[in-house]
Amino acid sequence: CANPSCHGNGERPLELFAPERHRLDPDDVFLKTPLSHDELRANFLRASAFIDDFDGTSSLLRKPIAPSAGGMEHEGGVCFESTDEPAWQVMRRWVRAALGAEDDA
Protein backbone atom coordinates (compact mmCIF):
# COMPACT_ATOMS: atom_id res chain seq x y z
CA CYS A 1 0.00 0.00 0.00
CA ALA A 2 2.94 2.35 0.51
CA ASN A 3 3.95 2.03 -3.12
CA PRO A 4 4.39 5.46 -4.81
CA SER A 5 1.55 4.64 -7.22
CA CYS A 6 -0.81 4.04 -4.31
CA HIS A 7 -0.74 5.18 -0.66
CA GLY A 8 2.99 5.83 -0.67
CA ASN A 9 2.36 9.18 -2.28
CA GLY A 10 2.03 12.49 -0.43
CA GLU A 11 -0.72 13.57 -2.81
CA ARG A 12 -3.01 10.70 -1.76
CA PRO A 13 -5.53 11.22 1.05
CA LEU A 14 -4.26 8.16 2.93
CA GLU A 15 -0.49 8.53 2.61
CA LEU A 16 1.26 5.67 4.41
CA PHE A 17 4.83 4.73 5.27
CA ALA A 18 6.25 1.20 5.17
CA PRO A 19 9.64 -0.53 5.25
CA GLU A 20 11.13 -0.88 1.76
CA ARG A 21 8.58 1.63 0.45
CA HIS A 22 7.59 5.23 1.13
CA ARG A 23 9.52 6.81 4.05
CA LEU A 24 9.80 10.21 5.70
CA ASP A 25 13.52 10.18 5.04
CA PRO A 26 14.10 9.56 1.32
CA ASP A 27 17.40 7.85 2.21
CA ASP A 28 15.38 5.09 3.95
CA VAL A 29 13.34 4.16 0.86
CA PHE A 30 14.00 0.52 -0.11
CA LEU A 31 15.56 -0.26 3.31
CA LYS A 32 14.08 -2.97 5.53
CA THR A 33 14.59 -0.83 8.62
CA PRO A 34 11.64 -0.53 11.01
CA LEU A 35 9.45 2.54 10.75
CA SER A 36 10.47 5.47 12.92
CA HIS A 37 8.28 6.76 15.73
CA ASP A 38 7.27 9.70 13.50
CA GLU A 39 6.32 7.38 10.62
CA LEU A 40 4.27 5.12 12.90
CA ARG A 41 2.50 8.13 14.40
CA ALA A 42 1.78 9.57 10.95
CA ASN A 43 0.32 6.21 9.80
CA PHE A 44 -1.84 6.05 12.95
CA LEU A 45 -3.15 9.61 12.57
CA ARG A 46 -3.86 9.24 8.85
CA ALA A 47 -5.65 5.91 9.24
CA SER A 48 -7.60 7.31 12.20
CA ALA A 49 -8.87 10.11 9.99
CA PHE A 50 -10.60 7.49 7.82
CA ILE A 51 -12.60 6.00 10.68
CA ASP A 52 -15.87 7.63 9.82
CA ASP A 53 -18.28 5.24 11.54
CA PHE A 54 -18.80 1.63 12.43
CA ASP A 55 -22.22 0.85 11.03
CA GLY A 56 -20.59 -1.14 8.27
CA THR A 57 -19.97 1.77 5.91
CA SER A 58 -16.51 2.84 7.08
CA SER A 59 -14.34 3.15 3.98
CA LEU A 60 -11.26 2.10 5.96
CA LEU A 61 -12.90 -1.29 6.56
CA ARG A 62 -14.81 -1.69 3.29
CA LYS A 63 -12.31 -0.52 0.64
CA PRO A 64 -9.86 -3.41 1.07
CA ILE A 65 -12.61 -6.09 0.92
CA ALA A 66 -13.71 -7.74 -2.31
CA PRO A 67 -16.92 -6.12 -3.61
CA SER A 68 -18.47 -9.60 -3.76
CA ALA A 69 -18.03 -9.76 0.04
CA GLY A 70 -19.57 -6.33 0.70
CA GLY A 71 -16.49 -4.24 0.00
CA MET A 72 -16.03 -1.14 -2.10
CA GLU A 73 -14.20 -0.63 -5.37
CA HIS A 74 -10.52 0.05 -4.69
CA GLU A 75 -7.97 1.07 -7.31
CA GLY A 76 -5.36 -0.93 -5.41
CA GLY A 77 -7.38 -4.08 -5.84
CA VAL A 78 -8.70 -6.55 -3.32
CA CYS A 79 -6.67 -6.95 -0.11
CA PHE A 80 -9.11 -9.30 1.64
CA GLU A 81 -11.47 -11.80 0.03
CA SER A 82 -13.74 -11.79 3.07
CA THR A 83 -14.21 -10.26 6.49
CA ASP A 84 -13.21 -13.60 8.02
CA GLU A 85 -9.52 -13.04 7.30
CA PRO A 86 -7.47 -12.56 10.49
CA ALA A 87 -5.73 -9.35 9.32
CA TRP A 88 -9.09 -7.75 8.48
CA GLN A 89 -10.41 -8.77 11.90
CA VAL A 90 -7.44 -6.96 13.49
CA MET A 91 -8.38 -3.80 11.57
CA ARG A 92 -12.00 -4.21 12.65
CA ARG A 93 -11.03 -4.49 16.32
CA TRP A 94 -8.77 -1.45 16.01
CA VAL A 95 -11.57 0.63 14.46
CA ARG A 96 -14.04 -0.45 17.15
CA ALA A 97 -11.52 0.39 19.88
CA ALA A 98 -10.82 3.78 18.32
CA LEU A 99 -14.56 4.50 18.39
CA GLY A 100 -14.85 3.31 21.98
CA ALA A 101 -17.11 0.43 20.95
CA GLU A 102 -17.02 -2.91 22.71
CA ASP A 103 -15.87 -5.79 20.56
CA ASP A 104 -18.71 -8.22 19.91
CA ALA A 105 -16.57 -10.87 18.24
Side-chain angles (χ1 to χ4, degrees), residues 20-37:
E20 299 183 81
R21 301 278 186 198
H22 185 52
R23 302 299 295 266
L24 272 175
D25 183 344
D27 291 339
D28 290 344
V29 174
F30 305 119
L31 297 181
K32 291 184 181 185
T33 56
L35 295 180
S36 69
H37 172 78

Side-chain angles (χ1 to χ4, degrees), residues 59-70:
S59 59
L60 187 66
L61 291 174
R62 289 190 58 220
K63 273 216 171 195
I65 301 171
S68 61

Side-chain angles (χ1 to χ4, degrees), residues 13-93:
L14 180 55
E15 175 189 15
L16 296 172
F17 299 105
E20 299 183 81
R21 301 278 186 198
H22 185 52
R23 302 299 295 266
L24 272 175
D25 183 344
D27 291 339
D28 290 344
V29 174
F30 305 119
L31 297 181
K32 291 184 181 185
T33 56
L35 295 180
S36 69
H37 172 78
D38 290 340
E39 290 168 325
L40 289 169
R41 178 131 178 91
N43 281 354
F44 173 81
L45 293 173
R46 289 176 180 140
S48 295
F50 281 80
I51 300 174
D52 36 12
D53 59 53
F54 194 75
D55 67 359
T57 62
S58 176
S59 59
L60 187 66
L61 291 174
R62 289 190 58 220
K63 273 216 171 195
I65 301 171
S68 61
M72 298 169 66
E73 290 296 325
H74 179 227
E75 284 186 41
V78 172
C79 301
F80 305 105
E81 292 297 329
S82 81
T83 58
D84 294 330
E85 292 189 39
W88 187 87
Q89 288 292 323
V90 168
M91 282 184 22
R92 178 185 179 276
R93 286 192 298 274

